[in-house]
């Protein structure tokens, strides 16, 4: 666990099967926000670290960008330890999780909607990352300028605590993951409207935006 930026904490689990580090984040705001849970195994390691940083407080919201094990596989365990926590996700994720019988207590967000809570303000953008290329979400915390980009910016290898400096236009120009060209154009346009100070990646080094 690492205080990686402002009041943002990073937790990471390395998966040697994929040579991939999976990050989870806690924004220690008045209403604490967890971003991604890791998979079920990661979450077992995450819980005690989370509790240490929270110091008796509880996770209030759990935002995850799309329905995949490293993003939300640990949700049942998180909800067991923090029963008042509210999952925040896309409509597709909410249906998938309900379909697996995990929970049906969601705060469903659509692109361009916001979550204004105690001490943070999260704006949502479409990222075609859900099953059958439907829209998942990336989240931009507007008060601090933190972009939670999920798998959009992705690098393998060990990366706990790694932060590299980057120019935002260069970053946007290099992102080529979205397979649907129109959706990608739209996403890039939306990203370039933002002026993030920090990009909290799902995998690989975080980015400190310098220009
Ligand atoms: Fe993913
Ligand atoms: Fe991921």
């Amino acid at each position: 666990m690492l205080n990686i930026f402002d009041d943002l904490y990073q937790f990471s689990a390395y998966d040697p099967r994929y040579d991939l580090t999976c990050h989870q984040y806690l924004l220690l705001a008045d209403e604490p926000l967890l971003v991604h849970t890791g998979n079920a195994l990661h979450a077992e390691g995450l819980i005690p670290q989370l509790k240490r940083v929270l110091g008796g407080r509880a996770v209030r919201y759990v935002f995850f960008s799309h329905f995949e094990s490293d993003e939300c596989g640990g949700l049942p365990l998180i909800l067991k330890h923090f029963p008042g926590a509210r999952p925040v996700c896309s409509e597709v994720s909410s249906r998938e999780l309900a379909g697996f019988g995990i929970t049906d207590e969601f705060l469903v967000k659509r692109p361009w909607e916001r979550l204004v809570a105690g001490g943070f303000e999260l704006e949502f953008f479409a990222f075609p990352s859900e099953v059958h290329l439907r829209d998942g979400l990336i989240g931009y915390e507007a008060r601090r300028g933190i972009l939670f980009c999920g798998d959009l910016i992705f690098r393998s290898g060990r990366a706990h605590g790694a932060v590299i400096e980057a120019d935002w236009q260069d970053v946007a120009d290099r992102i080529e993951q979205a397979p649907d060209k129109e959706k990608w154009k739209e996403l890039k346009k939306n990203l370039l409207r933002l002026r993030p100070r920090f990009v909290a990646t799902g995998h690989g080094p975080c980015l400190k935006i310098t220009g």
Side-chain angles (χ1 to χ4, degrees):
M1 167 261 297
L2 195 87
N3 184 195
I4 197 155
F5 183 74
D6 286 358
D7 50 357
L8 184 71
Y9 290 79
Q10 183 189 64
F11 309 83
S12 309
Y14 177 72
D15 192 331
R17 294 174 302 174
Y18 310 104
D19 183 27
L20 192 65
T21 304
C22 302
H23 301 306
Q24 302 89 48
Y25 297 93
L26 176 72
L27 190 68
L28 200 56
D30 296 342
E31 293 190 287
L33 165 75
L34 178 67
V35 179
H36 295 156
T37 67
N39 66 28
L41 198 65
H42 299 160
E44 279 179 28
L46 170 65
I47 297 282
Q49 297 184 67
L50 256 186
K51 288 190 171 171
R52 214 171 306 140
V53 179
L54 285 162
R57 298 165 67 194
V59 172
R60 184 71 188 84
Y61 296 98
V62 187
F63 166 58
F64 46 92
S65 56
H66 56 284
F67 181 78
E68 202 177 3
S69 64
D70 59 312
E71 275 79 24
C72 62
L75 188 63
L77 200 64
I78 297 291
L79 294 178
K80 193 174 144 200
H81 286 265
F82 301 102
R86 195 91 193 271
V88 181
C89 61
S90 73
E91 199 197 351
V92 176
S93 279
S94 74
R95 271 187 267 144
E96 292 303 315
L97 284 156
F100 277 92
I102 293 170
T103 180
D104 53 9
E105 293 288 314
F106 304 100
L107 199 51
V108 170
K109 290 290 175 185
R110 290 175 177 77
W112 300 111
E113 289 186 343
R114 294 191 307 161
L115 169 61
V116 180
F120 72 88
E121 218 172 299
L122 211 50
E123 299 173 6
F124 300 98
F125 298 90
F127 172 37
S129 50
E130 296 281 17
V131 287
H132 306 305
L133 294 184
R134 285 178 288 179
D135 283 340
L137 298 169
I138 55 179
Y140 180 64
E141 203 293 306
R143 292 195 194 173
R144 297 162 184 80
I146 300 172
L147 183 68
F148 294 104
C149 72
D151 290 346
L152 182 64
I153 297 165
F154 192 107
R155 242 200 244 177
S156 56
R158 290 186 185 271
H160 179 59
V163 180
I164 54 175
E165 295 194 345
D167 176 86
W168 187 230
Q169 178 76 50
D170 283 355
V171 173
D173 285 345
R174 273 196 235 122
I175 298 168
E176 284 171 349
Q177 271 200 31
D180 180 319
K181 279 204 177 359
E182 283 312 304
K183 285 195 173 186
W184 167 235
K185 252 201 264 169
E186 180 69 18
L187 174 59
K188 188 171 171 182
K189 201 171 80 194
N190 293 335
L191 288 175
L192 285 171
R193 287 177 48 249
L194 305 175
R195 280 284 161 262
R197 296 164 59 219
F198 191 80
V199 180
T201 58
H203 311 276
C206 290
L207 308 179
K208 189 170 180 222
I209 302 301
T210 52

